[in-house]
């Protein structure tokens, strides 16, 4: 079982990442395009089984950090579990259940939508967004994909008697608690702090550190903040994402898997025994994220059969399949033994 480091290692180096090819866009047997990126696969003992690209450079995990932010909030006294806790760690699609859940968190805290400081937006889910446009609905803070996290942040701040209007300030006690938790679980100092798309502080760590943190959630004892977040997301996968989202389908396909995506081509996933993978697609292409992550999970010893559904959408030519995105040969699972 993973244990948290008492003293985090130094921050990862800020540099231009030394990414490597991780996926080929193959059309009619010819490599038409190449996606660069980085991949790390950790064994159950925490050791690196495979790395491609630059897994130690500083990068921004984007929403893949949300489970760690949720852990920090539970440690600070946030009284959530189950579906609402999953929503607190979500990049949700903006479905009515997501909006209702965010409203409920605010109601339980004695707060309202006007207290949110995330940016107003249309729903993230394409079908939900299209329906909003047809109905003439306007962007809202509740519809924005991070509203569950922001509602939970507000409740955490209120429960501790911290100020509310500035809860997104990196110097706020809430955000200092989040930063300390991220450093503990990743095992390294934060390299840089900026602002995420939703307005919350965004912390830079390494891809290796992100995978290590995910494994610490899945190997944590039941009832701990880490274990509670992992359980909530696995049991309520669509509250952490949305109907038909690949990350929810991946958690359903692989028993015990915790998975979280992030903008700009980020994916992290971990199993209950501590095996973990993390992926960053350099150009942010979503089409390469899941196929590469699925290949990395196969390398980690996951049964390839349920992963076949995540091989990527076919490339069409004249309406017919003529190719697809394929992970590079270095991600072929054959070289590594299959774990139980």
């Amino acid at each position: 079982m993973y244990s948290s480091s008492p003293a985090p290692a130094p921050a990862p180096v800020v540099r231009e990442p030394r990414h490597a090819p991780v996926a080929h866009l193959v059309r009619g047997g010819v490599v038409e395009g190449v996606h660069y990126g980085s991949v790390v696969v950790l064994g159950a003992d925490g050791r690196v089984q495979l790395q491609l690209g630059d897994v130690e450079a500083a990068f921004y995990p984007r929403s893949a950090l949300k489970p760690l932010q949720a852990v920090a909030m539970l440690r600070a006294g946030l009284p959530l579990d189950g579906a609402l806790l999953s929503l607190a760690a979500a990049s949700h699609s903006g479905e009515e259940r997501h909006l209702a859940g965010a409203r409920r968190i605010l109601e339980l805290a004695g707060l309202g939508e006007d207290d949110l400081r995330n940016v107003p937006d249309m729903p993230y889910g394409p079908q939900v967004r299209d329906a909003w446009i047809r109905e003439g609905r306007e962007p809202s803070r509740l519809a924005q994909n991070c509203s569950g996290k922001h509602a939970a942040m507000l409740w955490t701040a209120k429960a501790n008697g911290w100020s509310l209007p500035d809860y997104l300030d990196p110097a706020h006690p809430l955000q200092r608690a989040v930063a300390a938790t991220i450093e503990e679980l990743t095992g390294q100092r934060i390299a840089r702090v900026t602002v995420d798309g939703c307005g919350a502080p965004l912390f830079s760590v390494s891809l290796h550190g992100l995978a290590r943190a995910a494994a610490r959630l899945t190997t944590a004892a039941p009832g701990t903040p880490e274990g509670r977040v992992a359980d909530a997301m696995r049991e309520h996968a669509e509250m952490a994402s949305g109907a038909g989202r690949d990350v929810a389908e991946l958690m359903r396909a692989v028993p015990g898997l915790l998975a979280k995506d992030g903008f700009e081509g980020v994916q992290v996933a971990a199993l209950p025994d501590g095996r973990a993978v993390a992926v960053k697609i350099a150009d942010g292409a979503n089409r390469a994220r899941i196929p590469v992550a699925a290949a990395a999970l196969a390398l980690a010893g996951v049964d390839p059969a349920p992963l076949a559904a995540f091989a990527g959408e076919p490339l069409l030519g004249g309406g017919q399949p003529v190719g697809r995105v394929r992970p590079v040969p270095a991600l072929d699972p054959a070289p590594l033994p299959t774990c139980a």
Side-chain angles (χ1 to χ4, degrees), residues 62-63 66 87 90-95 98-100 102-103 113 116-125 128-129 132 137-151 153 167-168 196-200 239 241 245 263:
R62 303 299 297 270
S63 287
K66 284 177 178 173
L87 184 63
S91 300
H92 65 70
S93 292
E95 299 162 18
H98 299 132
L99 276 62
R103 285 192 198 97
E113 184 176 356
L116 293 170
R117 292 292 181 269
N118 59 318
V119 294
D121 201 356
M122 301 294 282
Y124 175 66
V128 186
R129 183 173 60 248
W132 273 52
R137 299 173 73 174
E138 297 294 329
S140 78
R141 297 185 193 277
L142 279 178
Q144 198 268 337
N145 78 89
C146 304
S147 64
K149 177 183 77 174
H150 282 256
M153 284 183 168
Y167 75 93
L168 296 181
D196 210 338
C198 66
M239 282 298 279
S241 54
R245 292 271 293 278
F263 280 163

Side-chain angles (χ1 to χ4, degrees), residues 207-255:
L207 198 66
H208 186 182
L210 179 65
R212 186 163 48 229
R216 284 176 171 157
L217 266 63
T218 56
T219 59
T224 60
E226 297 92 326
R228 287 165 61 191
V229 170
D231 286 345
M233 293 180 68
R234 289 182 292 208
E235 292 170 15
H236 304 277
E238 289 189 345
M239 282 298 279
S241 54
R245 292 271 293 278
D246 53 29
V247 69
E249 296 297 332
L250 187 62
M251 284 194 275
R252 283 207 187 89
V254 181

Side-chain angles (χ1 to χ4, degrees), residues 13-25:
V13 177
V14 177
R15 64 180 175 225
E16 181 178 348
R18 301 161 185 167
H19 292 305
V22 294
H24 292 152
L25 180 66

Side-chain angles (χ1 to χ4, degrees), residues 19 35 46 58 86 102 124 162 170 175 178-179 185 187 214 220 233 254 259 265 307 327 337 340:
H19 292 305
H35 289 292
S86 183
Y124 175 66
W162 297 330
Q175 302 303 338
V178 169
L185 295 176
M233 293 180 68
V254 181
L307 295 173

Side-chain angles (χ1 to χ4, degrees), residues 35-48:
H35 289 292
Y36 281 69
S38 295
V39 182
V40 63
V41 177
L42 303 184
D45 59 0
R47 295 181 182 178
V48 175

Side-chain angles (χ1 to χ4, degrees), residues 110-202:
L111 300 168
E113 184 176 356
D114 289 344
D115 293 299
L116 293 170
R117 292 292 181 269
N118 59 318
V119 294
D121 201 356
M122 301 294 282
Y124 175 66
Q127 292 183 340
V128 186
R129 183 173 60 248
D130 290 348
W132 273 52
I133 293 172
R134 287 195 302 269
E135 296 164 8
R137 299 173 73 174
E138 297 294 329
S140 78
R141 297 185 193 277
L142 279 178
Q144 198 268 337
N145 78 89
C146 304
S147 64
K149 177 183 77 174
H150 282 256
M153 284 183 168
L154 279 166
W155 194 0
T156 305
K158 186 174 181 181
N160 283 276
W162 297 330
S163 59
L164 301 184
D166 62 339
Y167 75 93
L168 296 181
D169 187 330
H172 192 280
L174 169 65
Q175 302 303 338
R176 292 205 305 269
V178 169
T181 296
I182 289 171
E183 289 189 334
E184 177 192 332
L185 295 176
T186 61
Q188 59 190 171
R189 299 292 183 189
I190 290 166
R192 294 282 173 86
V193 181
T194 187
V195 182
D196 210 338
C198 66
L202 177 61

